[in-house]
Amino acid sequence: MNRMKCIISYDGSRFEGYQIQKEKRTVQYELQKALTLIHKGCDIKVSASGRTDAGVHAMGQVLHFDTTLSIPEAAWQKAMNAHLPKDIWVRHVEAVPPTFHARFDVVKKEYRYKVRLSKHFDVFLRDQVFHYPYPINTEAMREAARHFLGEHDFTSFCSAKTEVEDKVRTIYELEILEDGEELVFRIEGNGFLYNMVRIIVGTLLEVGQEKKQPQEILAILQSKDRKAAGKTAPAHGLYLWDVVYDDN
Amino acid sequence: MNRMKCIISYDGSRFEGYQIQKEKRTVQYELQKALTLIHKGCDIKVSASGRTDAGVHAMGQVLHFDTTLSIPEAAWQKAMNAHLPKDIWVRHVEAVPPTFHARFDVVKKEYRYKVRLSKHFDVFLRDQVFHYPYPINTEAMREAARHFLGEHDFTSFCSAKTEVEDKVRTIYELEILEDGEELVFRIEGNGFLYNMVRIIVGTLLEVGQEKKQPQEILAILQSKDRKAAGKTAPAHGLYLWDVVYDDN
């Protein structure tokens, strides 16, 4: 048995999320269908680094699966892409030790969130950036962003629906990049709670609109109350950008 | 009665072309539906500069319609965008003399065709650029492009299905721009036949692949035979970019 690790990108707009659900179009369903075809009908299950919600995109989602087939890595990529719909693309395939696990071995994840500030709506980006045609104070947002760095209890920045008990996570980086009319939030951490990036971005945008002060972030974190933070930014601006594993 | 001129952009990927057809999703249908709602149920007909095929996009399609309503230009834009789906966007509305005609008064049109040369497929651009991951000789293409300039009979570069009799058109400019991994064909002319831009691009790509020589273009034009030219490049790389009218 060989364990294969894959890095994939997908446009989340026509999927009802990553995780398989009955009678819904999901990324996991399409991946398992493609692999089952390659394995002449034998069911193949894939394990990803984590789920993404409906509308959320991935540049570098990581997954693994086990196979009895011995195919060179480049041929795996070609075979999978030939069997997948055009909104999923396998970027890379490699053989890994059987102890590798795409979810349990994650060391660091990077998400990006794209906001378009232009007054003009771009039809070609309608499902790929959050259109936010308002004046914005990026310096205030950058000041607020610094308060998220380090280890915190992120209860205030997590959907109340979550079942996870330990809400302490560490944010390593939170940059706000300006790229023409686009604002890109780049956030790296050891793990993220349900809706955490979208609530952080929604709250930072309220700081950008001067509805909240940068220094309020600490009080919001301390309150451990979802209602203290800002709105959840919409799914279609969010990208799971990179998943990092330990080299050993 | 007021005649209004609109400049619109649309993502052609989910439309079966511009022109209204029974039980199909078309741009014209969505525009007329929106305007009829704004006019409380009175049927409003729009006239565009020309049709675009299924999958073809527009950055600056132009159309006109007549109305009994007196609404400021900016409010027209807002009202139309509020009633249109997200893959159509009204960029500009202005009142024009009743003699203006979006189709008959066209002086010049600009199309662009986007090709992506990267080996990596980009899921986010799958419906917006033609993915062409092959080595390409851009100098040979530029040499070939020069032969299209000026007035020619474009029978060889026109779908055989066309009913138009006069196939003489003038090309003012045909540039090939390199933008990162994208190649953009920018073509300006006094008018274009059915599939003309897509056949020109398809033929230039064959020159780029060194399957045809640049100097063959003249012989292809002279043959007046569709079979002498190259393949029709796919619809999803094509954009109606700009339509120019006489200022008078």
Side-chain angles (χ1 to χ4, degrees):
Chain A
M1 194 71 98
N2 303 303
R3 180 157 288 193
M4 308 304 294
K5 172 188 173 188
C6 303
I7 306 177
I8 65 169
S9 57
Y10 49 85
D11 176 343
S13 26
R14 320 265 156 226
F15 289 109
E16 307 211 42
Y18 173 82
Q19 197 178 40
I20 219 158
Q21 300 171 66
K22 228 177 179 179
E23 289 174 27
K24 302 227 163 152
R25 185 169 188 260
T26 63
V27 178
Q28 189 185 4
Y29 173 79
E30 293 293 343
L31 287 164
Q32 294 185 172
K33 190 171 80 172
L35 286 168
T36 298
L37 277 166
I38 294 171
H39 291 83
K40 320 256 178 230
C42 291
D43 272 353
I44 301 291
K45 199 182 163 311
V46 303
S47 296
S49 73
R51 343 173 166 172
T52 53
D53 275 345
V56 174
H57 314 292
M59 196 54 96
Q61 168 71 290
V62 175
L63 53 94
H64 78 256
F65 63 88
D66 292 323
T67 179
T68 51
L69 299 177
S70 291
I71 305 179
E73 292 167 353
W76 266 116
Q77 186 194 11
K78 212 169 166 181
M80 290 179 73
N81 282 325
H83 288 84
L84 284 166
K86 286 200 163 179
D87 42 2
I88 304 177
W89 174 252
V90 177
R91 289 171 50 192
H92 179 80
V93 182
E94 66 178 284
V96 285
T99 52
F100 172 83
H101 196 287
R103 184 166 156 223
F104 302 139
D105 295 354
V106 173
V107 169
K108 194 166 80 172
K109 273 187 178 181
E110 177 183 337
Y111 279 92
R112 296 197 184 185
Y113 194 96
K114 297 189 185 183
V115 171
R116 190 177 141 84
L117 299 171
S118 170
K119 279 187 189 165
H120 296 284
F121 185 75
D122 185 330
V123 291
F124 302 106
L125 297 175
R126 68 191 183 284
D127 294 324
Q128 291 162 27
V129 299
F130 176 30
H131 186 231
Y132 197 77
Y134 309 107
I136 206 150
N137 181 341
T138 49
E139 272 323 298
M141 287 201 293
R142 288 208 172 93
E143 197 187 324
R146 282 194 285 274
H147 296 299
F148 287 104
L149 298 178
E151 190 181 87
H152 299 280
D153 182 314
F154 282 96
T155 303
S156 301
F157 293 90
C158 171
S159 165
K161 283 186 254 171
T162 295
E163 285 162 30
V164 178
E165 286 193 13
D166 177 11
K167 300 208 173 85
V168 175
R169 296 291 183 277
T170 303
I171 301 294
Y172 304 122
E173 286 196 56
L174 175 39
E175 278 190 301
I176 301 170
L177 312 165
E178 285 167 83
D179 178 11
E181 289 177 312
E182 249 175 59
L183 213 59
V184 181
F185 296 78
R186 200 181 75 76
I187 183 164
E188 268 185 28
N190 66 347
F192 292 90
L193 300 164
Y194 189 50
N195 280 355
M196 182 168 147
V197 178
R198 291 166 56 190
I199 302 170
I200 290 176
V201 170
T203 305
L204 287 174
L205 287 172
E206 293 183 15
V207 172
Q209 284 218 294
E210 299 176 352
K211 289 178 185 169
K212 283 191 164 63
Q213 296 299 311
Q215 57 273 26
E216 283 179 60
I217 300 298
L218 283 175
I220 299 172
L221 282 164
Q222 279 156 12
S223 74
K224 296 183 193 170
D225 176 7
R226 169 68 189 89
K227 291 189 276 300
K231 280 188 198 147
T232 307
H236 66 277
L238 184 62
Y239 295 72
L240 170 57
W241 202 263
D242 195 20
V243 186
V244 177
Y245 296 88
D246 209 323
D247 274 343
N248 308 312
Chain B
M1 194 69 98
N2 304 303
R3 181 156 290 191
M4 309 305 292
K5 173 188 173 188
C6 303
I7 307 177
I8 66 169
S9 58
Y10 48 84
D11 175 344
S13 25
R14 319 267 156 227
F15 289 109
E16 308 212 41
Y18 173 82
Q19 196 177 43
I20 219 157
Q21 299 171 67
K22 229 177 176 175
E23 291 175 26
K24 303 229 163 151
R25 185 169 189 261
T26 63
V27 179
Q28 189 184 4
Y29 173 79
E30 294 292 342
L31 287 165
Q32 295 185 172
K33 190 171 80 174
L35 286 168
T36 298
L37 278 166
I38 293 170
H39 290 83
K40 320 257 178 228
C42 291
D43 272 353
I44 301 291
K45 199 183 163 311
V46 302
S47 297
S49 74
R51 339 173 169 172
T52 52
D53 275 345
V56 175
H57 315 293
M59 196 54 96
Q61 168 71 291
V62 176
L63 52 95
H64 77 256
F65 63 89
D66 291 324
T67 179
T68 51
L69 300 177
S70 291
I71 306 180
E73 292 167 352
W76 266 116
Q77 187 195 12
K78 212 170 166 180
M80 290 179 73
N81 282 326
H83 288 83
L84 284 167
K86 287 204 162 176
D87 43 2
I88 303 178
W89 174 252
V90 177
R91 288 171 49 190
H92 179 79
V93 182
E94 67 179 281
V96 286
T99 52
F100 172 83
H101 196 289
R103 183 167 156 220
F104 302 140
D105 295 354
V106 173
V107 169
K108 195 165 80 172
K109 274 188 177 179
E110 178 183 334
Y111 280 92
R112 295 198 184 183
Y113 194 96
K114 297 189 185 183
V115 171
R116 188 175 142 84
L117 298 172
S118 170
K119 277 187 191 168
H120 297 283
F121 185 75
D122 186 329
V123 291
F124 302 105
L125 298 174
R126 68 191 184 283
D127 293 324
Q128 292 163 26
V129 299
F130 176 30
H131 186 230
Y132 198 77
Y134 309 108
I136 206 150
N137 181 341
T138 47
E139 272 323 298
M141 288 202 292
R142 289 205 173 94
E143 196 187 324
R146 283 194 284 276
H147 296 298
F148 287 104
L149 298 178
E151 190 180 89
H152 299 281
D153 182 313
F154 281 96
T155 304
S156 301
F157 293 89
C158 170
S159 163
K161 283 187 254 169
T162 295
E163 284 161 30
V164 179
E165 286 193 12
D166 178 11
K167 301 209 174 84
V168 175
R169 296 290 183 279
T170 303
I171 301 295
Y172 303 124
E173 285 196 58
L174 176 38
E175 276 190 304
I176 301 169
L177 311 164
E178 284 166 85
D179 178 12
E181 289 177 313
E182 250 176 58
L183 213 59
V184 182
F185 295 78
R186 199 181 77 76
I187 182 164
E188 269 185 30
N190 66 347
F192 291 90
L193 300 164
Y194 189 51
N195 280 355
M196 183 168 145
V197 179
R198 292 166 56 189
I199 301 170
I200 290 175
V201 170
T203 306
L204 286 174
L205 288 172
E206 292 183 15
V207 172
Q209 284 218 296
E210 299 176 350
K211 289 178 183 168
K212 282 189 164 63
Q213 295 300 310
Q215 57 273 23
E216 282 179 61
I217 299 299
L218 282 175
I220 298 172
L221 282 163
Q222 279 156 12
S223 72
K224 297 183 192 170
D225 177 6
R226 169 67 189 90
K227 291 189 277 300
K231 280 189 199 148
T232 306
H236 66 276
L238 185 61
Y239 295 72
L240 171 55
W241 202 264
D242 195 21
V243 186
V244 177
Y245 296 89
D246 209 324
D247 275 341
N248 308 311

mmCIF file of all heavy atoms in Angstrom, chain B residues 206-242:
data_model
loop_
_atom_site.group_PDB
_atom_site.id
_atom_site.type_symbol
_atom_site.label_atom_id
_atom_site.label_comp_id
_atom_site.label_asym_id
_atom_site.label_seq_id
_atom_site.Cartn_x
_atom_site.Cartn_y
_atom_site.Cartn_z
ATOM 1 N N GLU B 206 -1.300 28.847 -34.601
ATOM 2 C CA GLU B 206 -0.630 27.818 -35.433
ATOM 3 C C GLU B 206 0.696 28.358 -35.982
ATOM 4 O O GLU B 206 1.667 27.621 -36.115
ATOM 5 C CB GLU B 206 -1.553 27.337 -36.550
ATOM 6 C CG GLU B 206 -2.731 26.559 -35.958
ATOM 7 C CD GLU B 206 -3.692 25.952 -36.982
ATOM 8 O OE1 GLU B 206 -3.337 25.872 -38.172
ATOM 9 O OE2 GLU B 206 -4.799 25.551 -36.560
ATOM 10 N N VAL B 207 0.738 29.660 -36.270
ATOM 11 C CA VAL B 207 2.011 30.286 -36.657
ATOM 12 C C VAL B 207 2.958 30.249 -35.450
ATOM 13 O O VAL B 207 4.139 29.917 -35.583
ATOM 14 C CB VAL B 207 1.794 31.741 -37.138
ATOM 15 C CG1 VAL B 207 3.135 32.444 -37.353
ATOM 16 C CG2 VAL B 207 0.965 31.765 -38.427
ATOM 17 N N GLY B 208 2.433 30.542 -34.273
ATOM 18 C CA GLY B 208 3.231 30.526 -33.050
ATOM 19 C C GLY B 208 3.815 29.151 -32.755
ATOM 20 O O GLY B 208 4.916 29.026 -32.233
ATOM 21 N N GLN B 209 3.076 28.123 -33.130
ATOM 22 C CA GLN B 209 3.566 26.750 -32.957
ATOM 23 C C GLN B 209 4.405 26.292 -34.144
ATOM 24 O O GLN B 209 4.792 25.127 -34.216
ATOM 25 C CB GLN B 209 2.379 25.802 -32.802
ATOM 26 C CG GLN B 209 1.746 25.875 -31.423
ATOM 27 C CD GLN B 209 1.316 24.506 -30.966
ATOM 28 O OE1 GLN B 209 0.431 23.891 -31.567
ATOM 29 N NE2 GLN B 209 1.966 23.987 -29.938
ATOM 30 N N GLU B 210 4.643 27.191 -35.077
ATOM 31 C CA GLU B 210 5.444 26.928 -36.277
ATOM 32 C C GLU B 210 4.852 25.819 -37.166
ATOM 33 O O GLU B 210 5.563 25.117 -37.876
ATOM 34 C CB GLU B 210 6.923 26.689 -35.900
ATOM 35 C CG GLU B 210 7.480 27.943 -35.209
ATOM 36 C CD GLU B 210 8.915 27.837 -34.689
ATOM 37 O OE1 GLU B 210 9.463 26.722 -34.673
ATOM 38 O OE2 GLU B 210 9.470 28.898 -34.305
ATOM 39 N N LYS B 211 3.532 25.720 -37.133
ATOM 40 C CA LYS B 211 2.835 24.809 -38.053
ATOM 41 C C LYS B 211 2.524 25.546 -39.351
ATOM 42 O O LYS B 211 2.193 24.919 -40.369
ATOM 43 C CB LYS B 211 1.521 24.330 -37.429
ATOM 44 C CG LYS B 211 1.729 23.365 -36.275
ATOM 45 C CD LYS B 211 0.380 22.975 -35.661
ATOM 46 C CE LYS B 211 0.572 22.061 -34.449
ATOM 47 N NZ LYS B 211 -0.667 21.905 -33.690
ATOM 48 N N LYS B 212 2.499 26.866 -39.268
ATOM 49 C CA LYS B 212 2.293 27.707 -40.450
ATOM 50 C C LYS B 212 3.365 28.788 -40.429
ATOM 51 O O LYS B 212 3.832 29.187 -39.364
ATOM 52 C CB LYS B 212 0.916 28.388 -40.390
ATOM 53 C CG LYS B 212 -0.262 27.506 -40.751
ATOM 54 C CD LYS B 212 -1.545 28.342 -40.885
ATOM 55 C CE LYS B 212 -2.640 27.576 -41.613
ATOM 56 N NZ LYS B 212 -3.080 26.357 -40.894
ATOM 57 N N GLN B 213 3.754 29.288 -41.612
ATOM 58 C CA GLN B 213 4.722 30.379 -41.709
ATOM 59 C C GLN B 213 3.990 31.725 -41.704
ATOM 60 O O GLN B 213 2.892 31.821 -42.260
ATOM 61 C CB GLN B 213 5.516 30.247 -43.020
ATOM 62 C CG GLN B 213 6.387 28.991 -43.091
ATOM 63 C CD GLN B 213 7.408 28.956 -41.968
ATOM 64 O OE1 GLN B 213 8.118 29.931 -41.740
ATOM 65 N NE2 GLN B 213 7.443 27.839 -41.240
ATOM 66 N N PRO B 214 4.628 32.778 -41.141
ATOM 67 C CA PRO B 214 3.974 34.094 -41.115
ATOM 68 C C PRO B 214 3.521 34.563 -42.497
ATOM 69 O O PRO B 214 2.422 35.107 -42.637
ATOM 70 C CB PRO B 214 5.064 35.013 -40.546
ATOM 71 C CG PRO B 214 5.955 34.120 -39.763
ATOM 72 C CD PRO B 214 5.926 32.784 -40.437
ATOM 73 N N GLN B 215 4.342 34.337 -43.513
ATOM 74 C CA GLN B 215 4.009 34.861 -44.847
ATOM 75 C C GLN B 215 2.841 34.108 -45.500
ATOM 76 O O GLN B 215 2.296 34.580 -46.502
ATOM 77 C CB GLN B 215 5.252 34.908 -45.761
ATOM 78 C CG GLN B 215 5.952 33.582 -45.958
ATOM 79 C CD GLN B 215 6.998 33.304 -44.870
ATOM 80 O OE1 GLN B 215 6.921 33.854 -43.759
ATOM 81 N NE2 GLN B 215 7.953 32.440 -45.157
ATOM 82 N N GLU B 216 2.439 32.974 -44.935
ATOM 83 C CA GLU B 216 1.286 32.234 -45.494
ATOM 84 C C GLU B 216 -0.031 33.002 -45.334
ATOM 85 O O GLU B 216 -1.021 32.686 -46.014
ATOM 86 C CB GLU B 216 1.126 30.872 -44.799
ATOM 87 C CG GLU B 216 2.110 29.820 -45.274
ATOM 88 C CD GLU B 216 1.900 28.498 -44.520
ATOM 89 O OE1 GLU B 216 0.802 27.921 -44.617
ATOM 90 O OE2 GLU B 216 2.833 28.062 -43.823
ATOM 91 N N ILE B 217 -0.058 33.958 -44.411
ATOM 92 C CA ILE B 217 -1.317 34.673 -44.137
ATOM 93 C C ILE B 217 -1.902 35.295 -45.419
ATOM 94 O O ILE B 217 -3.110 35.182 -45.680
ATOM 95 C CB ILE B 217 -1.122 35.758 -43.044
ATOM 96 C CG1 ILE B 217 -0.664 35.130 -41.720
ATOM 97 C CG2 ILE B 217 -2.408 36.581 -42.842
ATOM 98 C CD1 ILE B 217 -1.624 34.135 -41.088
ATOM 99 N N LEU B 218 -1.027 35.906 -46.226
ATOM 100 C CA LEU B 218 -1.533 36.554 -47.445
ATOM 101 C C LEU B 218 -2.195 35.547 -48.384
ATOM 102 O O LEU B 218 -3.282 35.795 -48.914
ATOM 103 C CB LEU B 218 -0.402 37.305 -48.163
ATOM 104 C CG LEU B 218 -0.039 38.656 -47.516
ATOM 105 C CD1 LEU B 218 1.165 39.272 -48.206
ATOM 106 C CD2 LEU B 218 -1.236 39.608 -47.558
ATOM 107 N N ALA B 219 -1.562 34.394 -48.557
ATOM 108 C CA ALA B 219 -2.133 33.353 -49.425
ATOM 109 C C ALA B 219 -3.469 32.844 -48.860
ATOM 110 O O ALA B 219 -4.415 32.583 -49.614
ATOM 111 C CB ALA B 219 -1.145 32.202 -49.586
ATOM 112 N N ILE B 220 -3.537 32.742 -47.514
ATOM 113 C CA ILE B 220 -4.791 32.284 -46.897
ATOM 114 C C ILE B 220 -5.903 33.298 -47.175
ATOM 115 O O ILE B 220 -7.021 32.926 -47.546
ATOM 116 C CB ILE B 220 -4.614 32.059 -45.368
ATOM 117 C CG1 ILE B 220 -3.568 30.966 -45.101
ATOM 118 C CG2 ILE B 220 -5.945 31.696 -44.712
ATOM 119 C CD1 ILE B 220 -3.172 30.811 -43.627
ATOM 120 N N LEU B 221 -5.588 34.594 -47.014
ATOM 121 C CA LEU B 221 -6.578 35.642 -47.311
ATOM 122 C C LEU B 221 -7.018 35.538 -48.769
ATOM 123 O O LEU B 221 -8.220 35.568 -49.081
ATOM 124 C CB LEU B 221 -5.984 37.029 -47.046
ATOM 125 C CG LEU B 221 -5.898 37.491 -45.572
ATOM 126 C CD1 LEU B 221 -4.945 38.665 -45.417
ATOM 127 C CD2 LEU B 221 -7.281 37.851 -45.027
ATOM 128 N N GLN B 222 -6.048 35.393 -49.668
ATOM 129 C CA GLN B 222 -6.366 35.370 -51.100
ATOM 130 C C GLN B 222 -7.190 34.146 -51.511
ATOM 131 O O GLN B 222 -7.995 34.225 -52.445
ATOM 132 C CB GLN B 222 -5.070 35.433 -51.928
ATOM 133 C CG GLN B 222 -4.553 36.879 -52.051
ATOM 134 C CD GLN B 222 -3.053 36.959 -52.322
ATOM 135 O OE1 GLN B 222 -2.415 35.967 -52.630
ATOM 136 N NE2 GLN B 222 -2.498 38.165 -52.191
ATOM 137 N N SER B 223 -7.008 33.037 -50.802
ATOM 138 C CA SER B 223 -7.718 31.801 -51.177
ATOM 139 C C SER B 223 -9.236 31.913 -50.984
ATOM 140 O O SER B 223 -10.001 31.153 -51.575
ATOM 141 C CB SER B 223 -7.197 30.631 -50.355
ATOM 142 O OG SER B 223 -7.663 30.753 -49.010
ATOM 143 N N LYS B 224 -9.672 32.829 -50.136
ATOM 144 C CA LYS B 224 -11.105 32.970 -49.797
ATOM 145 C C LYS B 224 -11.757 31.627 -49.472
ATOM 146 O O LYS B 224 -12.834 31.280 -49.955
ATOM 147 C CB LYS B 224 -11.869 33.683 -50.924
ATOM 148 C CG LYS B 224 -11.351 35.106 -51.107
ATOM 149 C CD LYS B 224 -12.108 35.876 -52.158
ATOM 150 C CE LYS B 224 -11.336 37.152 -52.486
ATOM 151 N NZ LYS B 224 -11.861 37.858 -53.655
ATOM 152 N N ASP B 225 -11.046 30.879 -48.649
ATOM 153 C CA ASP B 225 -11.491 29.520 -48.315
ATOM 154 C C ASP B 225 -11.287 29.301 -46.812
ATOM 155 O O ASP B 225 -10.150 29.302 -46.336
ATOM 156 C CB ASP B 225 -10.639 28.526 -49.125
ATOM 157 C CG ASP B 225 -10.971 27.086 -48.782
ATOM 158 O OD1 ASP B 225 -11.938 26.835 -48.006
ATOM 159 O OD2 ASP B 225 -10.249 26.195 -49.278
ATOM 160 N N ARG B 226 -12.364 29.109 -46.078
ATOM 161 C CA ARG B 226 -12.272 28.909 -44.628
ATOM 162 C C ARG B 226 -11.309 27.784 -44.270
ATOM 163 O O ARG B 226 -10.619 27.845 -43.252
ATOM 164 C CB ARG B 226 -13.678 28.634 -44.060
ATOM 165 C CG ARG B 226 -13.718 28.156 -42.617
ATOM 166 C CD ARG B 226 -13.271 29.225 -41.644
ATOM 167 N NE ARG B 226 -13.095 28.712 -40.276
ATOM 168 C CZ ARG B 226 -11.976 28.208 -39.791
ATOM 169 N NH1 ARG B 226 -10.882 28.104 -40.551
ATOM 170 N NH2 ARG B 226 -11.903 27.797 -38.548
ATOM 171 N N LYS B 227 -11.229 26.763 -45.116
ATOM 172 C CA LYS B 227 -10.385 25.606 -44.803
ATOM 173 C C LYS B 227 -8.883 25.931 -44.852
ATOM 174 O O LYS B 227 -8.067 25.193 -44.293
ATOM 175 C CB LYS B 227 -10.714 24.438 -45.745
ATOM 176 C CG LYS B 227 -12.098 23.845 -45.475
ATOM 177 C CD LYS B 227 -12.368 22.562 -46.223
ATOM 178 C CE LYS B 227 -12.846 22.750 -47.646
ATOM 179 N NZ LYS B 227 -14.099 23.509 -47.834
ATOM 180 N N ALA B 228 -8.530 27.034 -45.503
ATOM 181 C CA ALA B 228 -7.113 27.412 -45.584
ATOM 182 C C ALA B 228 -6.597 27.985 -44.258
ATOM 183 O O ALA B 228 -5.407 27.883 -43.952
ATOM 184 C CB ALA B 228 -6.917 28.433 -46.707
ATOM 185 N N ALA B 229 -7.502 28.565 -43.457
ATOM 186 C CA ALA B 229 -7.086 29.188 -42.189
ATOM 187 C C ALA B 229 -7.006 28.136 -41.081
ATOM 188 O O ALA B 229 -7.288 26.953 -41.298
ATOM 189 C CB ALA B 229 -8.056 30.302 -41.812
ATOM 190 N N GLY B 230 -6.612 28.571 -39.884
ATOM 191 C CA GLY B 230 -6.462 27.652 -38.748
ATOM 192 C C GLY B 230 -7.777 27.379 -38.043
ATOM 193 O O GLY B 230 -8.855 27.801 -38.487
ATOM 194 N N LYS B 231 -7.671 26.674 -36.921
ATOM 195 C CA LYS B 231 -8.856 26.342 -36.121
ATOM 196 C C LYS B 231 -9.457 27.582 -35.476
ATOM 197 O O LYS B 231 -8.761 28.553 -35.219
ATOM 198 C CB LYS B 231 -8.448 25.379 -34.998
ATOM 199 C CG LYS B 231 -8.310 23.956 -35.457
ATOM 200 C CD LYS B 231 -8.121 23.046 -34.241
ATOM 201 C CE LYS B 231 -7.513 21.713 -34.673
ATOM 202 N NZ LYS B 231 -6.646 21.131 -33.648
ATOM 203 N N THR B 232 -10.724 27.508 -35.151
ATOM 204 C CA THR B 232 -11.399 28.579 -34.409
ATOM 205 C C THR B 232 -10.990 28.466 -32.933
ATOM 206 O O THR B 232 -11.226 27.429 -32.318
ATOM 207 C CB THR B 232 -12.930 28.405 -34.537
ATOM 208 O OG1 THR B 232 -13.253 28.324 -35.926
ATOM 209 C CG2 THR B 232 -13.680 29.562 -33.902
ATOM 210 N N ALA B 233 -10.362 29.500 -32.381
ATOM 211 C CA ALA B 233 -9.996 29.460 -30.953
ATOM 212 C C ALA B 233 -11.279 29.458 -30.111
ATOM 213 O O ALA B 233 -12.305 30.003 -30.535
ATOM 214 C CB ALA B 233 -9.127 30.669 -30.607
ATOM 215 N N PRO B 234 -11.254 28.833 -28.932
ATOM 216 C CA PRO B 234 -12.491 28.711 -28.151
ATOM 217 C C PRO B 234 -13.062 30.055 -27.695
ATOM 218 O O PRO B 234 -12.342 31.033 -27.520
ATOM 219 C CB PRO B 234 -12.082 27.849 -26.956
ATOM 220 C CG PRO B 234 -10.605 27.834 -26.940
ATOM 221 C CD PRO B 234 -10.126 28.132 -28.323
ATOM 222 N N ALA B 235 -14.373 30.069 -27.505
ATOM 223 C CA ALA B 235 -15.110 31.295 -27.163
ATOM 224 C C ALA B 235 -14.634 31.938 -25.866
ATOM 225 O O ALA B 235 -14.588 33.164 -25.755
ATOM 226 C CB ALA B 235 -16.602 30.969 -27.046
ATOM 227 N N HIS B 236 -14.245 31.135 -24.870
ATOM 228 C CA HIS B 236 -14.063 31.692 -23.524
ATOM 229 C C HIS B 236 -12.827 32.583 -23.352
ATOM 230 O O HIS B 236 -12.670 33.206 -22.307
ATOM 231 C CB HIS B 236 -14.114 30.584 -22.463
ATOM 232 C CG HIS B 236 -12.980 29.607 -22.531
ATOM 233 N ND1 HIS B 236 -12.981 28.523 -23.363
ATOM 234 C CD2 HIS B 236 -11.807 29.571 -21.876
ATOM 235 C CE1 HIS B 236 -11.853 27.845 -23.200
ATOM 236 N NE2 HIS B 236 -11.128 28.460 -22.310
ATOM 237 N N GLY B 237 -11.971 32.680 -24.373
ATOM 238 C CA GLY B 237 -10.845 33.620 -24.299
ATOM 239 C C GLY B 237 -11.179 34.998 -24.872
ATOM 240 O O GLY B 237 -10.382 35.929 -24.766
ATOM 241 N N LEU B 238 -12.366 35.116 -25.486
ATOM 242 C CA LEU B 238 -12.705 36.325 -26.262
ATOM 243 C C LEU B 238 -13.517 37.360 -25.469
ATOM 244 O O LEU B 238 -14.465 37.002 -24.762
ATOM 245 C CB LEU B 238 -13.492 35.911 -27.509
ATOM 246 C CG LEU B 238 -13.837 37.032 -28.509
ATOM 247 C CD1 LEU B 238 -12.589 37.693 -29.081
ATOM 248 C CD2 LEU B 238 -14.703 36.482 -29.644
ATOM 249 N N TYR B 239 -13.125 38.629 -25.621
ATOM 250 C CA TYR B 239 -13.796 39.762 -24.965
ATOM 251 C C TYR B 239 -14.117 40.836 -25.995
ATOM 252 O O TYR B 239 -13.210 41.301 -26.690
ATOM 253 C CB TYR B 239 -12.867 40.404 -23.911
ATOM 254 C CG TYR B 239 -12.532 39.511 -22.745
ATOM 255 C CD1 TYR B 239 -11.675 38.425 -22.915
ATOM 256 C CD2 TYR B 239 -13.069 39.739 -21.490
ATOM 257 C CE1 TYR B 239 -11.375 37.590 -21.846
ATOM 258 C CE2 TYR B 239 -12.760 38.908 -20.416
ATOM 259 C CZ TYR B 239 -11.917 37.830 -20.602
ATOM 260 O OH TYR B 239 -11.626 37.008 -19.554
ATOM 261 N N LEU B 240 -15.396 41.255 -26.065
ATOM 262 C CA LEU B 240 -15.737 42.480 -26.798
ATOM 263 C C LEU B 240 -15.308 43.601 -25.864
ATOM 264 O O LEU B 240 -15.889 43.785 -24.791
ATOM 265 C CB LEU B 240 -17.240 42.538 -27.078
ATOM 266 C CG LEU B 240 -17.753 43.877 -27.640
ATOM 267 C CD1 LEU B 240 -17.009 44.296 -28.902
ATOM 268 C CD2 LEU B 240 -19.251 43.813 -27.902
ATOM 269 N N TRP B 241 -14.249 44.321 -26.243
ATOM 270 C CA TRP B 241 -13.593 45.206 -25.281
ATOM 271 C C TRP B 241 -14.121 46.642 -25.325
ATOM 272 O O TRP B 241 -14.288 47.282 -24.296
ATOM 273 C CB TRP B 241 -12.080 45.192 -25.532
ATOM 274 C CG TRP B 241 -11.295 45.619 -24.338
ATOM 275 C CD1 TRP B 241 -10.821 46.880 -24.088
ATOM 276 C CD2 TRP B 241 -10.916 44.815 -23.212
ATOM 277 N NE1 TRP B 241 -10.158 46.893 -22.870
ATOM 278 C CE2 TRP B 241 -10.203 45.635 -22.321
ATOM 279 C CE3 TRP B 241 -11.112 43.462 -22.882
ATOM 280 C CZ2 TRP B 241 -9.685 45.156 -21.115
ATOM 281 C CZ3 TRP B 241 -10.593 42.985 -21.682
ATOM 282 C CH2 TRP B 241 -9.903 43.830 -20.820
ATOM 283 N N ASP B 242 -14.369 47.134 -26.550
ATOM 284 C CA ASP B 242 -14.736 48.546 -26.674
ATOM 285 C C ASP B 242 -15.473 48.748 -27.999
ATOM 286 O O ASP B 242 -15.140 48.113 -29.002
ATOM 287 C CB ASP B 242 -13.448 49.392 -26.652
ATOM 288 C CG ASP B 242 -13.719 50.870 -26.417
ATOM 289 O OD1 ASP B 242 -14.794 51.215 -25.893
ATOM 290 O OD2 ASP B 242 -12.849 51.692 -26.764
#
